[in-house]
Amino acid sequence: MGGKVVFKEYDPDQLTFLPYKLEELVPSGHPVRVVKQVVDAVDVKPINRKYKGGGASSFHPKLMLKLLVYGYLTNTYSSRKLEEQAAQNVHFMWLLGMKKPDHNTINRFRSEKLSGVLKQIFSQIVLLLQQEGIVSLKEAVFTDGTKIESAANKYTFVWGKSIKNSREKIKSQLDELWHYAQGIAKEELKDTTPLEYSEINPEKVKETISKINAALDDKEEVDKKVKQKLNYAKKHWPENLARYDEQEKLLAGRNSFSKTDPDATFMRMKEDHMLNGQLKPAYNLQITTQEQFILNYTLHQTSTDYQTLPSHIDQYGSLYNQLPKAVVADAGYGSDQNYAVLEQKGIEAYIKYNTFDKEQKAGIKAFSNDSLHYNEDENYLVCPMGQRMQHTSTGQRITTSAYLQLISRYQAQNCEGCPMRGVCHSAAGNRIVEINHSLRKHKQSAKDRLNTEQGIKYRKRRPADVEPVFAQLKHNHGFRRFLLKGISKTEVEIGLLSIAHNLRKWKA
């Protein structure tokens, strides 16, 4: 038989001689101590300026900042859950000195007081990392992007193409009404002309409909359906066009926006287990890292990464008054504009272009434009059969990011009877090619740089430096969707997430 079972003494109602101290319940080296130490060291004057003064007293900005940073560090993102933690969790209670802000106070601080100023706090923390020798703002950095879903309703969207089609439909129907009226009341409309597409606005359309109505007013032979159409047009078209004008202002050059979060753009998200694309309202998050620490973050309303790099690098410079010696990124950033911007700023671009990996494996494709020899002194190309292709013209092209490119055109002298014609080109006449010499030079420089010993090291290091950060944020810490709406508020969320990530890794 076994011995007598003995239980440890347990009396939850037993009084203690001295009350417990919260300080004794928080282990040394605990992340909450790191948050307190770092936030105490930063200057919160940028946040202080957001307070107007007067009225009831407010919780100190450092207390509120500690609450949010530690909340994001522990995957507690909801203001209501943060309110609960402040009242129940020993670590939060110790950090806040037993203060208990309610969820409305927490949300207002996050949405209003941190908006536009949190990046200044974030940069101070990065500078502390630099002082510790953990990161270097002057050395090479690694940049990449990911899309994070907006808090908006994913079924309430407006498309730019739909607005354009609706305008064209109104224009077409108005033309039909105009031509119908001309056939019946030509004399009344002899001094007026139909609207051009550029004139399709609420005032002009309303005026034109009034003219048509006035011309047809005393005509007995007017079709009843035309009268119904005119009544509908008078009532709805100016109102619809005014709405389209407002929607186009919100689009600001984008192809779409969400009605419940107009700052969010519909982007293709690869989220299911088969990585199938799904269109959802989202923001494009760009980060720059070093040793897996986030040094810079920006949010963008465009889904294409290459359009985000110039402003992303500009912010890096404004945050730290210095630029890195090199930027390492994947082929999504390899554009003529980005190479030119980095070159102008004196930054080495270790950035692939779209065909770099294929060229590494199989070489440059035979007969492609890139394979043609170029004589820079005399400005001509040489075709695969050795024939000169003379320069015929130079034109301009403006990219979707409003970047001006110069395009040179060359034409072969005689392709008739060439044995290579079938594989060289299939168009009628002599082969014509267009070359962007600026991009051609940038690609060659990038290729040479990427294939140096240093370039190979950076290429190997890039996926191990920046990509795991996204895995940490989205997979390990479950931040896949914003809680707040609007780019200014979502930037605050990313800022808190970035600060929390850096502090979590700093003392890990």
Side-chain angles (χ1 to χ4, degrees):
M1 293 183 65
K4 182 181 178 181
V5 176
V6 179
F7 294 104
K8 294 184 183 294
E9 186 177 345
Y10 170 64
D11 181 3
D13 297 320
Q14 181 180 344
L15 298 176
T16 57
F17 180 69
L18 293 172
Y20 289 110
K21 289 183 179 180
L22 288 176
E23 177 72 27
E24 296 172 350
L25 302 177
V26 180
S28 61
H30 193 278
V32 73
R33 292 188 180 274
V34 177
V35 172
K36 182 180 186 301
Q37 176 187 347
V38 172
V39 175
D40 281 340
V42 301
D43 182 1
V44 293
K45 286 192 184 75
I47 305 175
N48 292 346
R49 297 188 190 103
K50 289 285 193 98
Y51 290 85
K52 295 178 181 178
S57 60
S58 304
F59 288 104
H60 197 282
K62 285 195 175 183
L63 179 149
M64 299 300 296
L65 187 59
K66 289 173 184 175
L67 169 61
L68 282 166
V69 170
Y70 188 61
Y72 276 69
L73 191 146
T74 55
N75 307 342
T76 312
Y77 308 123
S78 159
S79 57
R80 290 184 182 274
K81 289 183 178 178
L82 286 168
E83 179 184 7
E84 288 178 8
Q85 293 289 65
Q88 299 172 9
N89 187 300
V90 169
H91 299 145
F92 278 89
M93 293 162 69
W94 172 83
L95 183 65
L96 305 180
M98 298 297 292
K99 298 292 189 294
K100 300 173 184 177
D102 63 32
H103 63 273
N104 286 324
T105 303
I106 296 168
N107 207 35
R108 280 197 303 270
F109 181 82
R110 177 170 55 184
S111 301
E112 299 170 12
K113 299 295 188 286
L114 294 183
S115 178
V117 299
L118 185 60
K119 283 180 181 175
Q120 298 175 51
I121 307 300
F122 166 80
S123 63
Q124 289 183 56
I125 294 172
V126 173
L127 289 170
L128 290 174
L129 288 168
Q130 182 180 237
Q131 289 175 18
E132 293 277 327
I134 296 170
V135 299
S136 171
L137 297 172
K138 296 179 180 179
E139 295 302 313
V141 296
F142 303 85
T143 296
D144 204 352
T146 191
K147 298 174 183 67
I148 298 182
E149 186 180 349
S150 163
N153 185 324
K154 61 185 176 183
Y155 300 110
T156 57
F157 45 78
V158 173
W159 294 98
K161 282 186 179 179
S162 177
I163 294 173
K164 184 181 178 182
N165 291 339
S166 297
R167 282 185 180 278
E168 288 175 349
K169 187 175 180 182
I170 289 176
K171 172 71 168 63
S172 174
Q173 292 179 345
L174 191 60
D175 284 344
E176 288 177 9
L177 289 170
W178 182 269
H179 291 307
Y180 177 87
Q182 280 274 24
I184 296 176
K186 190 171 184 179
E187 189 64 28
E188 287 85 344
L189 297 174
K190 65 180 180 180
D191 296 328
T192 55
T193 56
L195 290 180
E196 297 293 330
Y197 183 79
S198 59
E199 298 176 308
I200 299 298
N201 58 64
E203 293 75 22
K204 283 283 187 180
V205 168
K206 191 175 182 179
E207 180 185 331
T208 302
I209 293 170
S210 296
K211 287 179 181 178
I212 295 173
N213 265 323
L216 299 180
D217 191 40
D218 57 348
K219 307 294 182 184
E220 294 181 1
E221 65 270 33
V222 178
D223 192 322
K224 287 184 178 180
K225 290 183 178 180
V226 172
K227 287 186 176 180
Q228 290 173 353
K229 188 75 171 178
L230 281 167
N231 288 334
Y232 178 88
K234 183 179 180 181
K235 185 177 180 181
H236 295 286
W237 286 359
E239 179 185 328
N240 289 350
L241 287 168
R243 186 174 73 252
Y244 299 153
D245 288 342
E246 290 300 315
Q247 289 174 342
E248 284 180 333
K249 287 178 185 175
L250 290 171
L251 281 170
R254 293 179 288 156
N255 65 355
S256 61
F257 72 83
S258 167
K259 290 180 182 178
T260 52
D261 182 3
D263 287 346
T265 306
F266 277 77
M267 302 180 186
R268 192 161 295 281
M269 313 281 283
K270 295 180 179 179
E271 290 198 333
D272 68 5
H273 64 285
M274 295 296 289
L275 296 181
N276 292 318
Q278 299 179 9
L279 280 174
K280 292 183 179 180
Y283 294 92
N284 187 351
L285 168 63
Q286 297 289 311
I287 63 170
T288 289
T289 67
Q290 189 183 90
E291 303 296 340
Q292 297 183 7
F293 285 92
I294 300 174
L295 307 185
N296 187 27
Y297 65 89
T298 52
L299 270 188
H300 303 266
Q301 296 169 289
T302 176
S303 60
T304 50
D305 287 339
Y306 77 88
Q307 293 183 359
T308 67
L309 190 62
S311 59
H312 186 75
I313 292 298
D314 285 343
Q315 180 177 277
Y316 188 103
S318 64
L319 284 178
Y320 306 116
N321 294 318
Q322 58 184 314
L323 292 168
K325 76 172 187 180
V327 169
V328 187
D330 64 19
Y333 300 85
S335 72
D336 187 21
Q337 180 181 6
N338 289 344
Y339 289 131
V341 165
L342 295 180
E343 184 178 56
Q344 184 182 9
K345 294 179 180 295
I347 301 173
E348 295 177 1
Y350 291 88
I351 300 177
K352 297 177 182 178
Y353 47 90
N354 58 350
T355 57
F356 176 80
D357 287 330
K358 288 183 180 178
E359 290 177 12
Q360 292 296 106
K361 294 177 182 177
I364 297 176
K365 227 176 180 181
F367 305 106
S368 70
N369 289 357
D370 290 336
S371 70
L372 302 177
H373 173 72
Y374 175 61
N375 186 308
E376 189 169 359
D377 294 334
E378 300 183 41
N379 191 20
Y380 66 83
L381 295 174
V382 180
C383 84
M385 290 299 290
Q387 180 185 169
R388 282 194 182 192
M389 302 180 72
Q390 299 295 344
H391 177 254
T392 58
S393 64
T394 299
Q396 295 181 343
R397 181 187 298 159
I398 298 178
T399 67
T400 52
S401 57
Y403 183 70
L404 181 65
Q405 295 179 324
L406 295 179
I407 308 298
S408 297
R409 177 175 286 194
Y410 299 84
Q411 185 172 24
Q413 300 304 300
N414 183 16
C415 294
E416 190 175 346
C418 176
M420 295 291 185
R421 173 164 187 143
V423 289
C424 182
H425 80 113
S426 57
N430 298 324
R431 182 177 178 181
I432 297 173
V433 300
E434 293 183 341
I435 301 290
N436 177 350
H437 286 299
S438 171
L439 179 58
R440 179 182 60 82
K441 290 178 180 178
H442 285 142
K443 285 168 68 175
Q444 186 59 51
S445 297
K447 184 176 182 178
D448 294 341
R449 196 177 293 120
L450 287 164
N451 282 319
T452 61
E453 185 178 346
Q454 184 65 70
I456 293 169
K457 286 181 180 177
Y458 284 152
R459 281 160 52 194
K460 290 179 178 178
R461 183 177 164 191
R462 186 201 65 80
D465 199 297
V466 64
E467 292 179 10
V469 176
F470 290 135
Q472 281 283 341
L473 301 183
K474 297 179 81 169
H475 298 282
N476 294 355
H477 299 287
F479 196 92
R480 294 175 173 272
R481 192 170 188 262
F482 289 108
L483 296 176
L484 307 179
K485 297 176 183 177
I487 194 165
S488 63
K489 294 179 181 179
T490 49
E491 275 188 337
V492 169
E493 287 195 82
I494 288 300
L496 291 168
L497 203 64
S498 299
I499 291 171
H501 169 83
N502 285 348
L503 296 188
R504 186 189 295 115
K505 185 170 176 58
W506 190 353
K507 301 298 182 179

